[in-house]
Amino acid sequence: MILIIDNRKRAARNLADMFSYMGFLCAAATPSEALSTVSTLYRAIIVTSPTALIDKADYLRRLRSYAPDIPIFAMTDDESLVSEELFDCTLDKNAFAAKLAERVMDYCDSRALDIPGHYSLAGLDVSADLNCAMYFDKVLPFTKTECMILRYLVRSYPRTVNAESILHAVYRPSKMPDVANIRTHVSIINKKFRQVTGRSLIQQSFGEGYKLLAVEKEPALSV
């Protein structure tokens, strides 16, 4: 997951929507919201207007106190923000979203950090750069929304997450459906997965939520 921070919530939301369109789980927040939103679920943080922060050093210190291992990127051409060890890396503020995503992924990969956009668990791979979801060598016929739900469940594993948190991770605020929509999607995902593998993929615990039913290796082939 990627957290986008901007003083203007709409600006943060616009960039988050671009990343989401490419298959990345992404959230938008103002600086104050980010302090209560950030968690270890995130793989990267992007501050789109670093000069708008009143006290950059103090704010980033507080932000890192909640998630010390998450790299923080600044969209700016001011490299001094990195040399002063305020930010981990800068991003070209005029670059397209695809280039920004590539830069973030390359940075994380070069430092052996968890890479945003990579969502795989126990044979299941729903990473953003794939043309389709895979279970080992089997193609899974999941829709874009179904893949986004699975990405959030992969990222959250082994925690059980409720329908509300899935909704907020997967849908835009202006297009958020009723929570019953998640139950319907989970039922369809399990049906499709059973048709390919013979078992369900998501467990529903009533009153608690949903989590992936992960296995450690591919089931043996029948002979």
Side-chain angles (χ1 to χ4, degrees):
M1 295 177 66
I2 299 174
L3 179 60
I4 310 293
I5 302 175
D6 195 293
N7 280 12
R8 300 161 299 162
K9 185 66 172 287
R10 178 174 293 182
R13 184 73 260 170
N14 287 342
L15 183 57
D17 287 346
M18 294 179 194
F19 274 89
S20 296
Y21 180 80
M22 295 185 290
F24 292 82
L25 291 172
C26 206
T30 62
S32 59
E33 290 172 341
L35 293 175
S36 59
T37 300
V38 68
S39 73
T40 55
L41 284 177
Y42 291 98
R43 299 302 196 201
I45 298 170
I46 300 176
V47 180
T48 56
S49 300
T51 56
L53 296 175
I54 297 174
D55 186 337
K56 289 186 284 294
D58 179 66
Y59 179 77
L60 293 170
R61 177 188 57 78
R62 288 188 290 154
L63 190 62
R64 291 187 192 278
S65 71
Y66 294 108
D69 298 325
I70 302 175
I72 303 178
F73 299 82
M75 288 185 62
T76 178
D77 54 7
D78 185 0
E79 292 291 340
S80 69
L81 296 180
V82 173
S83 62
E84 294 171 7
E85 299 183 348
L86 294 176
F87 292 88
D88 296 290
C89 184
T90 61
L91 302 173
D92 183 355
K93 58 185 177 182
N94 297 313
F96 291 111
K99 284 294 183 183
L100 296 176
E102 181 181 354
R103 172 72 164 154
V104 170
M105 294 171 70
D106 286 346
Y107 177 90
C108 292
D109 187 33
S110 68
R111 286 157 179 78
L113 299 172
D114 292 316
I115 302 173
H118 286 197
Y119 307 98
S120 60
L121 176 71
L124 175 69
D125 196 341
V126 284
S127 295
D129 59 348
L130 293 180
N131 293 324
C132 58
M134 300 291 297
Y135 179 64
F136 292 100
D137 61 346
K138 299 178 178 68
V139 175
L140 301 171
F142 294 139
T143 65
K144 182 177 180 179
T145 298
E146 291 162 359
C147 283
M148 290 297 279
I149 291 172
L150 287 171
R151 285 165 188 153
Y152 184 67
L153 292 176
V154 166
R155 192 66 197 87
S156 302
Y157 184 84
R159 292 179 290 271
T160 299
V161 293
N162 59 36
E164 288 82 1
S165 67
I166 298 174
L167 282 174
H168 285 284
V170 171
Y171 290 93
R172 298 178 182 179
S174 60
K175 297 184 177 181
M176 198 173 296
D178 187 82
V179 292
N181 181 273
I182 297 301
R183 184 169 62 249
T184 300
H185 275 300
V186 167
S187 177
I188 294 172
I189 289 170
N190 277 336
K191 181 180 179 180
K192 290 179 178 180
F193 196 72
R194 283 195 298 269
Q195 290 173 343
V196 175
T197 69
R199 69 177 187 89
S200 294
L201 180 58
I202 302 172
Q203 178 186 46
Q204 179 179 3
S205 299
F206 291 98
E208 296 183 20
Y210 305 90
K211 75 173 181 178
L212 288 180
L213 292 167
V215 295
E216 297 304 320
K217 60 182 180 179
E218 185 176 14
L221 296 174
S222 58
V223 294

